[in-house]
Amino acid sequence: MTTIPVSLGTRSYDVVIEAGLLARAGELLAPIARGRPMPIVADEAVAPHLKTLRASLSAAGIASEAIVLPAGEGSKSWATLELLMDRLLALGVERRDHVIALGGGVIGDLVGFASAILKRGCGFVQVPTTLLAQVDSSVGGKTGINTRAGKNLVGAFHQPAIVLIDPTTLDTLPLREVRAGYAEVAKYGLIDDPEFFAWCERNADRLLAGEPEAREIAIARSVAAKARIVGEDERETSGRRALLNLGHTFGHALEAEAGFDGSLLHGEAVAAGMALAFAFSASRGLCPPEDAARVAAHLRAAGLPDGLAAAGISASGARLVDHMRHDKKMEGGTLALLLARGIGQTYVDRGVALEEIAAFLDTQPR
């Protein structure tokens, strides 16, 4: 077992990583259950894991009720949030109770937001079952839903009580989903750890093939990196946590253009966004062109898109920039863009005009 603390004062919690952890989750959750039932919110894709988790809770004397929602980004919506809130209220959830989020990033974000606003805040537990959720979205307390204006524009910071990661849940995940999650793994190396990015270049094939050692190293390294950054800047007030958004400004624009319909997964959009961020940095003379080429080559080798064409996006630069105008990191009409001076040298730049980004995007192959 690996335990990684997320140090946030009174809101601190542990991320526990262990193969087979789902089968003994009940014993870890018993102290916070306090003899109360624990609702489990899951999506339709995790039925086998739901059965294992409920059996584990039952063995620990914890009653549970399952709320199963449709899989996919479409569930991060006002309509599904209302449905979930009504179900949780009907179950009599109290402020000191904990709701379990079992699934990928969509379920984690949705359940976290519901828990943040239910009776002005109740507890919740993250049990992520996708690689993307395990290495990124389950840690740090960002919760929310999507709206017509864009992705994650309605939400709250609400930290979980504990995060339980069982890497064996990835065995049932389609390879495309694993690859999408891997984009967030590579991100941690590109932010500020060039040695980890080099590890990724050497070991991505092993990780994507499901080799347990490579998988657990990648998860633990990623979680430790995110826990450190979140501990320094919980709410993105100093700019440190904003580094975790590498590739996301471009990526969210691509997702919005694709319509959140599943044709472009979040991790795929982030991968293309990271390649674009490095290419844009190189075009401005900030980053060595060979570093930008190295990033794109690695993403291609991992089966991920490395730009607009590979992501299936043909929209103009002006149209993509219009999506960026709704970015939640906009401040005073300027965008906090994540750029790079090289691999492991990411920084926040607020001095880039949107027109310059549009002109750059118009030069990219489609």
Side-chain angles (χ1 to χ4, degrees), residues 100-247:
I100 300 174
L102 175 70
V106 168
I107 289 294
D109 285 0
L110 176 67
V111 174
F113 185 38
S115 299
I117 60 177
L118 184 69
K119 297 187 175 178
R120 297 195 176 94
C122 66
F124 85 112
V125 173
Q126 288 272 23
V127 186
T129 60
T130 67
L131 182 59
L132 190 149
Q134 289 177 355
V135 303
D136 187 66
S137 61
S138 66
V139 181
K142 280 188 175 181
T143 72
I145 59 172
N146 303 330
T147 67
R148 283 190 294 271
K151 188 178 174 71
N152 296 328
L153 295 181
V154 175
F157 287 94
H158 189 54
Q159 301 294 342
I162 190 171
V163 180
L164 304 181
I165 297 177
D166 183 346
T168 66
T169 61
L170 304 181
D171 293 340
T172 61
L173 207 62
L175 179 57
R176 184 187 176 196
E177 294 276 359
V178 177
R179 284 180 170 142
Y182 175 73
E184 297 281 4
V185 175
K187 178 189 75 176
Y188 292 106
L190 295 175
I191 289 173
D192 64 359
D193 192 345
E195 290 184 7
F196 182 51
F197 184 71
W199 181 92
C200 288
E201 290 177 305
R202 297 191 304 270
N203 294 281
D205 287 348
R206 295 171 55 217
L207 188 159
L208 295 172
E211 185 175 309
E213 181 185 18
R215 195 160 58 183
E216 292 185 29
I217 288 172
I219 294 170
R221 287 283 293 269
S222 299
V223 168
K226 183 159 191 182
R228 171 173 48 83
I229 292 174
V230 168
E232 295 173 9
D233 182 12
E234 180 184 3
R235 292 176 174 259
E236 262 181 25
T237 53
S238 73
R240 178 67 176 157
R241 183 167 180 172
L243 297 179
L244 294 168
N245 292 313
L246 175 63

Side-chain angles (χ1 to χ4, degrees), residues 4-23:
I4 298 170
V6 182
S7 300
L8 293 169
T10 58
R11 296 177 311 288
S12 297
Y13 55 94
D14 288 334
V15 181
V16 185
I17 307 166
E18 182 184 59
L21 184 63
L22 203 61

Side-chain angles (χ1 to χ4, degrees), residues 24-354:
R24 64 183 200 86
E27 65 185 78
L28 294 177
L29 296 180
I32 65 172
R34 305 176 297 109
R36 294 277 299 167
M38 299 188 80
I40 305 169
V41 184
D43 69 40
E44 298 163 336
V46 297
H49 305 318
L50 177 59
K51 182 178 180 181
T52 301
L53 178 57
R54 295 196 72 183
S56 175
L57 293 175
S58 179
I62 304 170
S64 65
E65 186 78 28
I67 301 172
V68 180
L69 301 174
E73 197 76 22
S75 285
K76 280 181 61 171
S77 65
W78 286 113
T80 307
L81 176 65
E82 181 180 18
L83 170 68
L84 175 57
M85 296 290 284
D86 286 342
R87 291 288 303 277
L88 292 174
L89 288 168
L91 290 174
V93 173
E94 298 178 356
R95 292 183 70 178
R96 294 186 63 198
D97 290 345
H98 290 78
V99 181
I100 300 174
L102 175 70
V106 168
I107 289 294
D109 285 0
L110 176 67
V111 174
F113 185 38
S115 299
I117 60 177
L118 184 69
K119 297 187 175 178
R120 297 195 176 94
C122 66
F124 85 112
V125 173
Q126 288 272 23
V127 186
T129 60
T130 67
L131 182 59
L132 190 149
Q134 289 177 355
V135 303
D136 187 66
S137 61
S138 66
V139 181
K142 280 188 175 181
T143 72
I145 59 172
N146 303 330
T147 67
R148 283 190 294 271
K151 188 178 174 71
N152 296 328
L153 295 181
V154 175
F157 287 94
H158 189 54
Q159 301 294 342
I162 190 171
V163 180
L164 304 181
I165 297 177
D166 183 346
T168 66
T169 61
L170 304 181
D171 293 340
T172 61
L173 207 62
L175 179 57
R176 184 187 176 196
E177 294 276 359
V178 177
R179 284 180 170 142
Y182 175 73
E184 297 281 4
V185 175
K187 178 189 75 176
Y188 292 106
L190 295 175
I191 289 173
D192 64 359
D193 192 345
E195 290 184 7
F196 182 51
F197 184 71
W199 181 92
C200 288
E201 290 177 305
R202 297 191 304 270
N203 294 281
D205 287 348
R206 295 171 55 217
L207 188 159
L208 295 172
E211 185 175 309
E213 181 185 18
R215 195 160 58 183
E216 292 185 29
I217 288 172
I219 294 170
R221 287 283 293 269
S222 299
V223 168
K226 183 159 191 182
R228 171 173 48 83
I229 292 174
V230 168
E232 295 173 9
D233 182 12
E234 180 184 3
R235 292 176 174 259
E236 262 181 25
T237 53
S238 73
R240 178 67 176 157
R241 183 167 180 172
L243 297 179
L244 294 168
N245 292 313
L246 175 63
H248 286 62
T249 299
F250 287 106
H252 284 168
L254 305 189
E255 281 187 279
E257 182 61 26
F260 304 113
D261 61 359
S263 61
L264 183 66
L265 300 179
H266 174 67
E268 293 170 339
V270 168
M274 291 192 298
L276 289 168
F278 270 80
F280 182 59
S281 298
S283 74
R284 301 182 93 218
L286 298 167
C287 170
E290 55 269 28
D291 279 8
R294 183 179 162 195
V295 171
H298 179 60
L299 295 172
R300 285 196 304 273
L304 288 164
D306 63 342
L308 299 180
I313 300 297
S314 58
S316 68
R319 181 172 172 84
L320 294 173
V321 162
D322 277 342
H323 292 305
M324 294 181 186
R325 295 182 197 279
H326 297 291
D327 192 286
K328 57 186 177 296
K329 298 180 292 300
M330 287 287 285
E331 185 176 303
T334 62
L335 184 65
L337 191 63
L338 275 293
L339 299 180
R341 298 186 177 93
I343 290 173
Q345 300 179 64
T346 299
Y347 73 100
V348 181
D349 194 323
R350 286 194 173 272
V352 182
L354 292 176

